[in-house]
Amino acid sequence: MSRQPTMVKISVVIPTFNRVKVLPGVIDALLEQDFPREQYEILVVDDGSNDGTGAYLASLAGKVRFFTQQHGGASRARNLGAENAHGMVLAFTDDDCRPEKEWLRVIQDSMEVQKHGAALLGHTYSRFPASTFVHSVFKDSEPIVTCNFAVPKEAFWRVGGFDTHFVIYFEDEDLGLRLKKSGCPIFYESRMRVEHPSRYQTFGSYLRQRSYFQYFCYMSKKHPDGDHWQRHRGVVTQIVKRFLWFGIPTFAGLAWTPMFSLLLAVLILHLLADGRRALAYRRELLPIGFQLRAADFWSMMLLNWAVPFVDAWRILNGYILDFWRTRAWEAPSGKEDDAAGASR
């Protein structure tokens, strides 16, 4: 069905990268919405996939508008989609989500009721609780998440869209804070429901997920009135405890060499404790249909003790500028911002 740009009210923007196996789920859910098809469009931005995503999207010509960019992160992909959107409202979701049938109708109805350019945060849910090896999302309050969020296009661009310096995480929370500071309120809409299917995640994926700690300093610099450190103080506490566990025997050993044996004892204790945790996760996963892989069991047992040290390195090293470089956590210069925008 051909849609005139003037008829489109809502533009749904989805970034994707190498997820051709799950992408049809969100596309099918959006094509089955209880909302006039001529009044919304689906924009998918392929972030440099090499798994056949481009061919799949090409097969949806007439149903989906799609764009391709070099691999640069979801923030740039969402901005590219927003730049090409015809609707006055931007609705964001992710390539592994399932918006419920009434999602777009609820967005449109709520936007009409608000009448003053408010953004909407919906209810996101998963089937199983989140854990080290289960990726799930439950959300019914701020900060916002981009798997279930809608905002007037004018308000989105008034604050400059997504900050492309956030390559992996925090881009949604940052956008929400800037929207509120600009005078755009954010309301929670419980009827705006999106399922984020629970999935097994490897230990490597878990470590990648924790890379958002690298943005703590940048977020604190950019939003000094925020509560980023308070909400994640458990991580900071874990880092401090781990440094004490390994630091005290190390310094004691420097003073008296036999004390280095305590360092070995501490390491063995951590390996045994993490091995017991891995076994506990294995028992928890079986009833919900997931099988803990042997590689993930051994990775957790042998490497988990070092995770807080990696977190500390990420926090001190700065935030991720792109997929290959990092920079100090001072606020980005205008020059870098311009370069990021030109690459979209």
Side-chain angles (χ1 to χ4, degrees):
M1 179 184 297
S2 175
R3 281 169 295 284
Q4 297 297 322
T6 55
M7 300 175 64
V8 175
K9 294 182 177 180
I10 303 176
S11 297
V12 183
V13 179
I14 307 168
T16 189
F17 175 67
N18 281 346
R19 283 185 170 176
V20 70
K21 293 183 179 179
V22 300
L23 186 57
V26 66
I27 299 298
D28 291 344
L30 289 171
L31 291 175
E32 296 171 0
Q33 288 290 299
D34 180 20
F35 191 70
R37 186 65 185 91
E38 68 276 6
Q39 294 184 21
Y40 73 98
E41 61 179 353
I42 304 169
L43 297 90
V44 182
V45 181
D46 180 6
D47 186 28
S49 300
N50 56 16
D51 65 343
T53 294
Y56 166 70
L57 292 174
S59 72
L60 299 176
K63 298 179 180 179
V64 171
R65 298 175 61 205
F66 70 95
F67 307 87
T68 302
Q69 67 174 21
Q70 290 185 339
H71 191 32
S75 294
R76 290 180 180 176
R78 292 189 181 100
N79 282 350
L80 178 58
E83 287 172 355
N84 290 275
H86 294 145
M88 298 303 293
V89 173
L90 303 174
F92 294 98
T93 190
D94 289 342
D95 56 8
D96 58 347
C97 290
R98 305 288 186 274
E100 292 192 358
K101 193 176 183 68
E102 300 81 13
W103 189 61
L104 289 176
R105 178 172 55 80
V106 169
I107 291 175
Q108 180 62 25
D109 291 347
S110 296
M111 287 289 183
E112 290 180 350
V113 169
Q114 300 300 340
K115 297 293 185 184
H116 44 60
L120 300 173
L121 169 65
H123 177 74
T124 304
Y125 63 94
S126 295
R127 183 177 180 185
F128 305 117
S131 71
T132 299
F133 297 106
V134 178
H135 180 71
S136 295
V137 176
F138 297 88
K139 198 69 178 176
D140 58 7
S141 62
E142 295 184 58
I144 69 169
V145 287
T146 43
C147 62
N148 190 3
F149 183 67
V151 60
K153 183 166 65 175
E154 182 277 331
F156 177 82
W157 286 119
R158 187 170 68 239
V159 299
F162 288 101
D163 182 344
T164 56
H165 292 86
F166 293 103
V167 177
I168 303 177
Y169 296 108
F170 271 133
E171 78 281 1
D172 40 14
E173 181 174 346
D174 168 67
L175 175 67
L177 290 171
R178 287 186 286 118
L179 284 170
K180 293 180 72 173
K181 291 175 182 178
S182 74
C184 176
I186 299 174
F187 293 106
Y188 170 63
E189 174 54 79
S190 61
R191 300 172 300 154
M192 186 177 151
R193 295 170 59 85
V194 167
E195 179 187 7
H196 196 297
S198 299
R199 68 173 185 270
Y200 179 87
Q201 69 176 4
T202 65
F203 189 75
S205 296
Y206 164 71
L207 293 180
R208 183 178 184 274
Q209 188 179 34
R210 290 179 70 101
S211 67
Y212 69 81
F213 297 133
Q214 191 148 7
Y215 294 109
F216 272 11
C217 292
Y218 181 39
M219 283 292 290
S220 297
K221 183 76 172 181
K222 192 171 183 181
H223 303 284
D225 54 341
D227 62 346
H228 324 294
W229 292 99
Q230 290 83 353
R231 285 190 292 107
H232 299 282
R233 60 183 177 273
V235 175
V236 179
T237 300
Q238 188 181 50
I239 291 173
V240 172
K241 288 182 177 179
R242 197 59 54 91
F243 268 96
L244 290 175
W245 269 103
F246 285 87
I248 292 175
T250 299
F251 284 109
L254 292 175
W256 187 41
T257 304
M259 292 297 290
F260 276 124
S261 60
L262 289 178
L263 187 61
L264 178 60
V266 168
L267 177 59
I268 292 174
L269 287 174
H270 277 82
L271 294 178
L272 293 175
D274 288 331
R276 287 195 298 269
R277 291 191 188 97
L279 288 174
Y281 278 126
R282 182 177 182 276
R283 291 190 294 269
E284 292 174 4
L285 291 174
L286 288 175
I288 62 176
F290 296 132
Q291 176 70 47
L292 181 63
R293 300 172 184 173
D296 293 323
F297 173 87
W298 289 109
S299 294
M300 182 173 185
M301 180 176 177
L302 299 177
L303 302 177
N304 194 55
W305 65 272
V307 170
F309 296 111
V310 176
D311 293 338
W313 176 84
R314 283 168 168 160
I315 291 172
L316 295 174
N317 192 53
Y319 71 93
I320 302 171
L321 180 60
D322 57 30
F323 280 88
W324 309 111
R325 297 178 295 158
T326 60
R327 58 163 288 170
W329 54 261
E330 287 78 13
S333 65
K335 182 177 179 181
E336 298 243 16
D337 283 338
D338 293 341
S343 68
R344 290 199 297 269

